[in-house]
Amino acid sequence: MLGRTADGLFWMFRYLERSENTARLIETGFRIGLTRRTGENEEWQSVLQTAAVDDLYYRHYTQLEASKVIDFLLRDANNPSSVMSSIATARRNARRVRTAITGEVWGAINDTFLYLKQALKRPVSTRDLPVLLSTIRQQSQLVRGATHGSMLRNDLFDFCRLGTFLERADNTARILDVKYYVLLPSISQIGSNLDNIQWETILRSVGGQRAYRTVDRGDPCPKGIANFLIFDGRMPRSLMFSTSKIATNMHFLEKVYGIRLTSHDHADQLIARLENGNIERVFEEGLHEFISDFLRDTARLGTQIESDYRFRE
Amino acid sequence: MVAMEHVFDEMTGTGNSPLPSYQAYRAWFDGENLSDLRRKSRDAEDFFRRTGITFNVYGDHEAEERLIPFDIVPRIISAWEWSRLTRGIEQRVRAINAFLHDIYHRQEILRAGRIPIELVAANPAFLPQMIGAAPPKKIYTHIVGIDIVRTAQDEFFVLEDNARTPSGVSYMLENRETMLQMFPELFSRIRVKPVQDYPINLRRSLAASAPADCDDDCTVAVLTPGLHNSAYFEHAFLADHMGVELVEGCDLRIIDGKVAMRTTEGYKPIDVLYRRVDDSFLDPLSFNPDSLLGVPGIMGIYLAGRITIANAPGTGIADDKAIYSYMPEIVEFYTGEKSLLKNVPTWRCSEPDALAYVLEHLDELVVKEVHGSGGYGMHVGPASSRRERTKFAAKLKARPKKYIAQPTLALSTVPILTQKGLAPRHVDLRPYVLVSPDKITVTPGGLTRVALKRGSLVVNSSQGGGTKDTWVLED
């Protein structure tokens, strides 16, 4: 397998995941704007921060304005993380590695691209936004489904999965990073319930508002939510879930190639921190530090994978 | 341009009832409903767009990938016609390989005075670096496309030889796949020779041409200029269907005297490279120094016999239109037989008598540049105005060596499906040929290009041409 192919698959799936995450963030911001009288602008500000494009936004706009933020996140070519840019990048990578993916996976990503190109030709009206956002999520699930149903479980597949889960771990950690102050005991008294709007946005942006209700009886307390997003291995967008998937795929690569590399050590450290940790200790030692470390370590792992497996010369 | 009543239609000949090869198809067609077929035709286009069977147009934005229109009426060739064509194609391809070997070695054909020396020596497609080189298993052109046109029941002509990099084979395969999906019942009624073995045969054929010191398990790869090349889809398609890596120049480097590709586990040597990169970009050390598409040093490895490059560098000389005009002599010189396939009569404007004739008949001849391709700089007599002819005559007189001329042929027609039903349109045919050390394989079928505009003789996809599935019937 070519290093360039590993590169293409890894980034194809990172960008596919990113498009879905960005769509969720837009959905969250939009929803808050509809149901709340106040706090809408702060919400868009933190959405931009979570997507790590706030600086970029202010380079093009002076005012924080819902319609502009939505357009910027949805279809702006100046924003490499906009849904349209992400899907275009995912597809470009898919074309680069056309021989490494099945016709079904290619068909699904190509379909998604063609659909969005049409749907995002012009700014999207508020009325059309909900349907569009849910279609974006469905399309991304279609690609994932085609990948699951048709790809060989070999090293190619491992690089697809690594891209998916590194991006996802990064995204969930960012949500926590931007919102950590909401979860801090100093602001909401220990044991007290969070302002509904806050926990709703956090859970909504990982598509976990319903799941949380069934898992922890839905007590919207800071610890409960933080635990759900960090340590709950049942929750498919939690740090624990994403990290354990990364560890599994790293392990497969070690077995297939018969060689252990630096990136394996990094991956082991990442999963060990979660497996040996618990929410009490995280709160004691500082949620913010924990998340910062996690973000730094996933970035380091990503870079190490790229060099260990010769993505580029 | 050409009066329709003198044109041979492959479905009905010159009469009204279908010829034997089309009878079964026509019987099926007459039982179908036109609007259903029109819908199927739109489905086919959708299918092509979704599977990404598109070509890029140079200079256009990435999003501007275009589709080549596909017509759902197959072009049908009888087993007998095909076996005749095949014999002619095999003979021609054998001669082309012998010719290439000769002009890069002893140049017997030049010594014998059968071809003027300057036609080779001054030809930009002739690579002096290849003189005396010994390509593995002596094969120069591994993959060949011979463009053939038909003018009557038994009249086939070779229009052009593509010994350098014949493209379009992915369309042959995808057209068949589309037909199988849309009209499965047709294939149970009519027995059509399969084309789907092409990628496997290609891989076998390439592997068989590996350097002598390779073991059975040799590594084949396809070299593409990359995503932005107009034929990128085809490069990916072929690598995918052969089950080999699709590499770019940036994946390759020379390691331990072999060309090697960067894999996730380190550099791995390549034995056979099916390159879709032009000669001049292949090696910046030997050719165009600015090329980023090739591999620095690959020519050295090649000349040392440590990699097979398919097709060999320098093969393009056989595609030259002035060389083409000598093809009957070339076939005879190397095979000792008369050429089975006819050339289109060609006037070489370098010869004074021919030039005089061409100047007198500029209103009916097609005049082409000898090194040209893609129809650039071409004069089409019947479509020209008096002023254009005067202007072209001046160009021709100034540099006669640059041109050849041919009659405007009455290309055969095959019906396409239009709003109102079947309507005849002009076609050509490109069969694909694989050359391996022990045999020559002609895939039964090929790419039929069709001019979609009524009366038009231009089948190029860049000018509104489309494609058809090509059926060769079983005996």
Side-chain angles (χ1 to χ4, degrees):
Chain A
M1 172 186 190
L2 292 178
R4 187 170 50 81
T5 304
D7 183 29
L9 289 172
F10 181 83
W11 285 102
M12 172 189 167
F13 279 86
R14 274 202 91 144
Y15 273 100
L16 184 72
E17 180 69 23
R18 187 169 300 179
S19 72
E20 190 186 337
N21 293 336
T22 305
R24 272 183 210 285
L25 287 174
I26 299 171
E27 205 165 16
T28 309
F30 180 64
R31 173 90 189 184
I32 301 304
L34 286 184
T35 53
R36 300 284 157 159
R37 291 282 150 259
T38 55
E40 190 198 357
N41 269 2
E42 291 87 77
E43 192 46 42
W44 283 120
Q45 174 60 33
S46 68
V47 162
L48 286 172
Q49 251 175 293
T50 310
V53 293
D54 44 338
D55 287 349
L56 197 61
Y57 176 85
Y58 289 112
R59 229 175 287 159
H60 293 96
Y61 300 100
T62 45
Q63 296 273 319
L64 196 65
E65 203 178 299
S67 65
K68 289 192 174 127
V69 179
I70 291 173
D71 199 61
F72 183 70
L73 290 171
L74 206 50
R75 46 187 293 278
D76 200 327
N78 291 315
N79 174 7
S81 295
S82 73
V83 172
M84 191 66 239
S85 302
S86 300
I87 287 294
T89 308
R91 177 176 180 269
R92 191 164 49 246
N93 277 293
R95 274 191 91 207
R96 279 176 67 205
V97 299
R98 181 60 191 80
T99 55
I101 54 178
T102 59
E104 286 162 56
V105 175
W106 164 254
I109 183 79
N110 193 38
D111 256 5
T112 306
F113 172 78
L114 294 173
Y115 164 78
L116 283 181
K117 224 179 81 180
Q118 195 57 40
L120 297 181
K121 244 185 191 152
R122 277 171 286 280
V124 178
S125 73
T126 314
R127 180 187 295 177
D128 297 334
L129 194 61
V131 174
L132 179 80
L133 289 170
S134 91
T135 312
I136 291 170
R137 255 189 292 120
Q138 274 171 21
Q139 285 292 336
S140 148
Q141 281 153 3
L142 193 70
V143 181
R144 211 157 36 224
T147 309
H148 259 270
S150 70
M151 295 260 301
L152 276 180
R153 297 306 195 260
N154 54 11
D155 45 349
L156 296 172
F157 190 75
D158 291 324
F159 287 107
C160 301
R161 301 292 278 172
L162 285 172
T164 302
F165 289 109
L166 267 169
E167 182 69 24
R168 190 180 293 179
D170 184 72
N171 180 66
T172 302
R174 272 176 198 290
I175 291 170
L176 286 164
D177 193 37
V178 172
K179 293 279 187 180
Y180 81 94
Y181 62 90
V182 176
L183 298 166
L184 281 187
S186 54
I187 290 178
S188 313
Q189 293 304 309
I190 296 171
S192 78
N193 283 3
L194 286 176
D195 174 9
N196 274 353
I197 183 177
Q198 297 295 1
W199 69 262
E200 189 188 328
T201 52
I202 295 172
L203 288 171
R204 204 173 266 284
S205 39
V206 293
Q209 66 276 29
R210 244 204 99 252
Y212 184 64
R213 256 175 259 150
T214 52
V215 167
D216 270 359
R217 280 170 289 111
D219 281 349
C221 72
K223 254 188 205 168
I225 292 173
N227 188 52
F228 185 57
L229 291 189
I230 298 172
F231 290 109
D232 198 324
R234 296 167 297 180
M235 159 62 185
R237 311 194 83 81
S238 73
L239 302 189
M240 178 65 100
F241 185 90
S242 309
T243 311
S244 68
K245 289 288 174 193
I246 292 169
T248 309
N249 287 291
M250 287 303 293
H251 179 70
F252 283 146
L253 284 179
E254 185 182 340
K255 237 170 61 180
V256 172
Y257 292 149
I259 182 166
R260 194 178 161 83
L261 302 158
T262 315
S263 50
H264 292 103
D265 296 338
H266 290 355
D268 284 353
Q269 284 161 25
L270 202 63
I271 188 78
R273 173 125 24 95
L274 288 168
E275 279 174 348
N276 303 330
N278 59 55
I279 197 67
E280 272 71 32
R281 194 150 4 119
V282 168
F283 272 70
E284 259 164 49
E285 291 168 10
L287 177 63
H288 184 60
E289 284 70 21
F290 180 84
I291 295 298
S292 300
D293 288 353
F294 184 86
L295 279 168
R296 191 197 57 223
D297 291 353
T298 44
R300 188 179 64 154
L301 174 60
T303 316
Q304 193 62 42
I305 289 172
E306 297 197 3
S307 93
D308 280 356
Y309 292 105
R310 301 171 175 83
F311 282 17
R312 283 174 284 272
E313 186 119 49
Chain B
M1 290 216 213
V2 178
M4 275 303 213
E5 57 268 28
H6 300 305
V7 168
F8 176 75
D9 185 74
E10 298 190 12
M11 185 182 272
T12 56
T14 44
N16 285 319
S17 52
L19 296 172
S21 51
Y22 274 92
Q23 272 163 8
Y25 178 80
R26 189 56 196 261
W28 170 87
F29 182 89
D30 290 340
E32 292 291 310
N33 171 305
L34 182 61
S35 66
D36 282 354
L37 288 175
R38 297 280 314 159
R39 202 182 52 242
K40 285 262 191 192
S41 174
R42 284 192 296 275
D43 289 351
E45 188 175 315
D46 225 40
F47 174 77
F48 276 88
R49 190 175 295 285
R50 292 182 50 195
T51 43
I53 309 171
T54 54
F55 67 103
N56 299 341
V57 179
Y58 285 111
D60 270 0
H61 190 257
E62 182 196 14
E64 309 305 323
E65 293 155 16
R66 298 208 192 147
L67 282 184
I68 298 183
F70 172 70
D71 176 70
I72 62 168
V73 182
R75 196 251 189 102
I76 304 177
I77 300 171
S78 73
W80 180 80
E81 287 165 341
W82 185 252
S83 77
R84 251 186 79 214
L85 272 179
T86 304
R87 278 199 305 279
I89 292 169
E90 283 178 13
Q91 181 198 46
R92 196 167 177 108
V93 168
R94 216 175 303 122
I96 289 174
N97 263 306
F99 166 70
L100 286 164
H101 185 267
D102 185 34
I103 60 155
Y104 287 116
H105 289 85
R106 292 186 46 81
Q107 305 192 324
E108 303 278 4
I109 197 163
L110 303 183
R111 292 167 199 234
R114 303 289 282 272
I115 293 183
I117 288 178
E118 71 267 18
L119 215 55
V120 173
N123 200 309
F126 180 76
L127 292 188
Q129 290 93 332
M130 286 295 289
I131 295 173
K137 317 272 162 71
K138 280 193 181 176
I139 301 172
Y140 283 81
T141 177
H142 305 249
I143 301 120
V144 198
I146 306 286
D147 288 357
I148 291 175
V149 295
R150 185 178 195 180
T151 56
Q153 180 76 59
D154 287 321
E155 294 280 4
F156 292 92
F157 293 93
V158 174
L159 195 60
E160 215 172 277
D161 300 291
N162 296 281
R164 190 192 321 233
T165 21
S167 61
V169 75
S170 56
Y171 290 95
M172 169 184 87
L173 294 163
E174 285 293 27
N175 287 354
R176 176 62 53 83
E177 205 49 48
T178 307
M179 289 296 278
L180 281 166
Q181 286 210 10
M182 290 197 308
F183 307 109
E185 76 278 13
L186 256 177
F187 289 86
S188 53
R189 279 199 196 190
I190 304 172
R191 291 184 51 216
V192 180
K193 291 194 181 181
V195 293
Q196 283 90 338
D197 296 340
Y198 179 83
I200 295 298
N201 289 338
L202 174 60
R203 184 177 176 165
R204 276 200 203 119
S205 176
L206 289 169
S209 315
D213 59 351
C214 285
D215 50 17
D216 291 344
D217 188 27
C218 75
T219 304
V220 178
V222 177
L223 176 65
T224 174
L227 211 53
H228 301 292
N229 185 270
S230 62
Y232 178 77
F233 164 75
E234 175 156 303
H235 308 159
F237 180 95
L238 288 173
D240 191 18
H241 284 72
M242 283 196 284
V244 305
E245 294 291 358
L246 178 67
V247 299
E248 295 177 18
C250 64
D251 298 315
L252 304 180
R253 83 160 43 159
I254 310 297
I255 287 181
D256 298 334
K258 289 286 278 185
V259 175
M261 56 183 169
R262 195 179 71 253
T263 76
T264 49
E265 299 171 88
Y267 278 89
K268 191 181 168 199
I270 294 175
D271 304 308
V272 182
L273 195 60
Y274 176 22
R275 51 90 179 217
R276 297 292 295 258
V277 169
D278 286 346
D279 284 354
S280 54
F281 294 104
L282 202 50
D283 185 345
L285 300 184
S286 300
F287 308 112
N288 181 354
D290 300 327
S291 170
L292 299 171
L293 305 175
V295 191
I298 189 174
M299 274 307 280
I301 304 298
Y302 179 67
L303 295 175
R306 306 215 59 200
I307 190 169
T308 299
I309 297 178
N311 294 341
T315 322
I317 181 112
D319 295 1
D320 188 87
K321 292 191 180 68
I323 297 283
Y324 161 88
S325 70
Y326 288 94
M327 211 45 95
E329 285 94 327
I330 289 174
V331 170
E332 220 176 309
F333 188 80
Y334 296 106
T335 65
E337 303 158 6
K338 281 253 172 253
S339 176
L340 298 171
L341 288 174
K342 283 186 226 168
N343 253 24
V344 179
T346 303
W347 289 273
R348 294 185 279 263
C349 302
S350 56
E351 297 167 6
D353 290 355
L355 178 63
Y357 179 88
V358 173
L359 285 168
E360 252 169 62
H361 295 87
L362 273 181
D363 57 336
E364 55 189 65
L365 298 175
V366 176
V367 190
K368 300 172 178 173
E369 290 186 10
V370 287
H371 306 314
S373 65
Y376 292 105
M378 195 163 83
H379 166 84
V380 183
S384 66
S385 67
R386 184 177 293 272
R387 258 192 68 198
E388 284 170 325
R389 286 195 289 275
T390 316
K391 252 176 92 183
F392 197 83
K395 267 167 68 179
L396 193 53
K397 276 188 262 183
R399 302 185 61 191
K401 277 186 191 169
K402 234 180 109 181
Y403 299 95
I404 53 123
Q406 293 171 337
T408 311
L409 294 180
L411 302 188
S412 62
T413 56
V414 174
I416 63 166
L417 188 73
T418 67
Q419 303 282 1
K420 295 188 189 118
L422 296 178
R425 293 292 184 271
H426 295 290
V427 294
D428 78 353
L429 173 67
R430 176 179 292 178
Y432 294 91
V433 190
L434 295 173
V435 182
S436 69
D438 54 335
K439 63 171 187 271
I440 292 174
T441 314
V442 186
T443 306
L447 179 65
T448 291
R449 297 188 299 175
V450 54
L452 297 173
K453 262 186 270 158
R454 184 163 176 273
S456 168
L457 291 164
V458 185
V459 296
N460 296 55
S461 55
S462 53
Q463 301 181 46
T467 68
K468 283 171 167 293
D469 190 15
T470 310
W471 292 4
V472 174
L473 300 181
E474 296 275 8
D475 284 324

